[in-house]
Amino acid sequence: MLDHAPGPPPTALPWADALLSDFPYIPHAQGNAILERLEFLLNAQASGARVVGIRLTGPTNTGKTSSVLELLRRHPPARGPTGLMCPVLLIRLQERATLVSVYRAILKALGSPAWNQGLDKNVRGMALDLMQHCGVRMVIVDEPHHLTAARSEGARVGLAQMGKVLIDEGMLVVFCGVHSIDDLLSSEELARRYPVHLATSPYRLNKPQDLKELRHFFDLVGQQWKDLEPVPLGSDDNWFVPLAATSAGAIGTAMPVLQLAVVHARSTGAKTLELKHVVLMWEQYMQQSRESHLRHLETPSGRLKNPFRSYETALEILGQLSSVKK
């Protein structure tokens, strides 16, 4: 028996509306497979199957977060007879997160006005009460390494214990992030509780089927801008070669520079996206990007090649990437 009363039911989840409008899902083979498996597990849980933990791992920009956001889009918060129901709850951890802050993030995500109140020792119980009240069936913890990286073993054990508690309460738990999740769940007991392992990876540029998937993906991207004419980003080699060279097969890597270029094209009154818009936005993209996933573009001087400025440069980079065995 908990020593406190559950908080009032939530009335709105504005964070969900913002996330789902800002991050449209572009179908691709790996993402579709992950969604199919997560949907299967949700349906099985509703039918009384044993609740399990799930590891969703992969390098940066390979589609993990976009896949779980699409799952949230398919199972959005909705009004029920007892208030707002939230079958899928996404918790995005920030850097320097603590275990208490994770439980408070759950309270905040579910709309509790008391999310930053109460004693730390009561926060876990408050969060569990509200999750049960809101009908949470799956909890997705995005980037759990923000809590465990460079922290004590106690933080690592605490996060794993939180997953155990949620599973024991009948909720599916998904730890979504980089491969350090496997270290987090390395104990024999936790490995038993997280038997499902889903993974994303860059599409291989030396595999015809993967190249086909990449072309299809970028063609879909080129059709998503409603106020601009469709652009065959995958079918036209003048577009696809520099996009593939930039992404190195990681579908999310080239998206920021495309988004910057689209904004620039709109600001000039253009009716269609052109390569010149991407070239002009490249330097801004470089200033904003601090991720190591662009190291394949580095020159000996430390600068990054711009695959959109020269087709020959892009073709050379793509050839080098395609020759790497994976």
Side-chain angles (χ1 to χ4, degrees):
M1 181 71 68
L2 297 173
D3 61 353
H4 59 273
T11 57
L13 296 181
W15 61 268
D17 294 335
L19 274 178
L20 300 184
S21 62
D22 289 346
F23 295 91
Y25 175 69
I26 309 297
H28 62 104
Q30 293 184 30
N32 294 344
I34 287 169
L35 282 166
E36 182 178 350
R37 190 68 186 279
L38 293 177
E39 290 274 16
F40 172 82
L41 292 167
L42 265 177
N43 292 334
Q45 186 251 21
S47 301
R50 181 173 72 94
V51 174
V52 297
I54 302 135
R55 290 172 284 170
L56 174 52
T57 64
T60 301
N61 286 333
T62 53
K64 301 181 301 296
T65 300
S66 63
S67 296
V68 298
L69 286 175
E70 176 61 13
L71 185 73
L72 181 61
R73 187 177 289 108
R74 296 179 185 184
H75 301 272
R79 293 287 175 185
T82 59
L84 194 66
M85 307 301 288
C86 184
V88 178
L89 176 63
L90 174 63
I91 304 299
R92 310 187 78 178
L93 298 193
Q94 303 299 316
E95 292 186 12
R96 298 184 296 277
T98 65
L99 193 58
V100 169
S101 73
V102 174
Y103 284 115
R104 292 197 182 279
I106 290 173
L107 290 169
K108 185 178 182 181
L110 290 174
S112 171
W115 67 271
N116 61 347
Q117 302 172 19
L119 299 176
D120 286 352
K121 66 179 182 179
N122 295 331
V123 168
R124 186 178 83 169
M126 293 167 62
L128 291 174
D129 281 355
L130 191 54
M131 292 167 81
Q132 294 285 4
H133 183 85
C134 293
V136 175
R137 296 168 49 206
M138 175 182 282
V139 182
I140 302 171
V141 182
D142 195 20
E143 307 295 356
H145 66 276
H146 284 324
L147 189 148
T148 60
R151 287 189 171 271
S152 68
E153 183 64 19
R156 181 184 298 272
V157 172
L159 183 60
Q161 179 66 20
M162 183 194 77
K164 177 181 180 297
V165 169
L166 296 178
I167 291 172
D168 289 344
E169 291 289 331
M171 303 175 206
L172 293 162
V173 178
V174 182
F175 281 162
C176 173
V178 294
H179 290 292
S180 60
I181 294 174
D182 293 329
D183 297 331
L184 172 67
L185 304 173
S186 59
S187 74
E188 184 177 343
E189 178 189 357
L190 289 171
R192 286 197 304 267
R193 290 181 177 272
Y194 290 80
V196 180
H197 189 189
L198 308 177
T200 61
S201 63
Y203 286 94
R204 295 163 294 182
L205 301 178
N206 57 355
K207 299 293 183 181
Q209 183 59 38
D210 281 21
L211 283 173
K212 181 179 178 180
E213 291 289 348
L214 270 180
R215 285 185 181 276
H216 180 62
F217 173 81
F218 282 121
D219 272 340
L220 292 177
V221 171
Q223 298 170 18
Q224 71 169 322
W225 303 301
K226 296 180 180 179
D227 52 344
L228 295 175
E229 296 177 5
V231 181
L233 300 180
S235 302
D236 184 345
D237 276 357
N238 289 310
W239 277 105
F240 179 71
V241 170
L243 284 170
T246 300
S247 69
I251 59 172
T253 302
M255 296 300 289
V257 70
L258 284 176
Q259 291 163 353
L260 287 170
V262 166
V263 171
H264 176 67
R266 288 169 176 158
S267 70
T268 64
K271 299 301 182 182
T272 186
L273 182 68
E274 299 179 32
L275 281 167
K276 65 180 182 181
H277 299 132
V278 186
V279 172
L280 289 171
M281 290 295 102
W282 185 260
E283 289 301 322
Q284 186 173 337
Y285 173 48
M286 291 299 96
Q287 293 171 10
Q288 293 183 5
S289 179
R290 298 188 296 268
E291 301 289 343
S292 60
H293 54 257
L294 293 174
R295 286 178 180 169
H296 64 281
L297 300 180
E298 283 188 1
T299 66
S301 65
R303 287 187 59 82
L304 296 180
K305 299 176 184 177
N306 182 348
F308 294 92
R309 186 176 294 279
S310 165
Y311 182 83
E312 288 71 24
T313 297
L315 202 59
E316 178 186 359
I317 296 169
L318 187 58
Q320 293 169 351
L321 293 170
S322 301
S323 66
V324 176
K325 294 183 179 181
K326 297 182 180 180

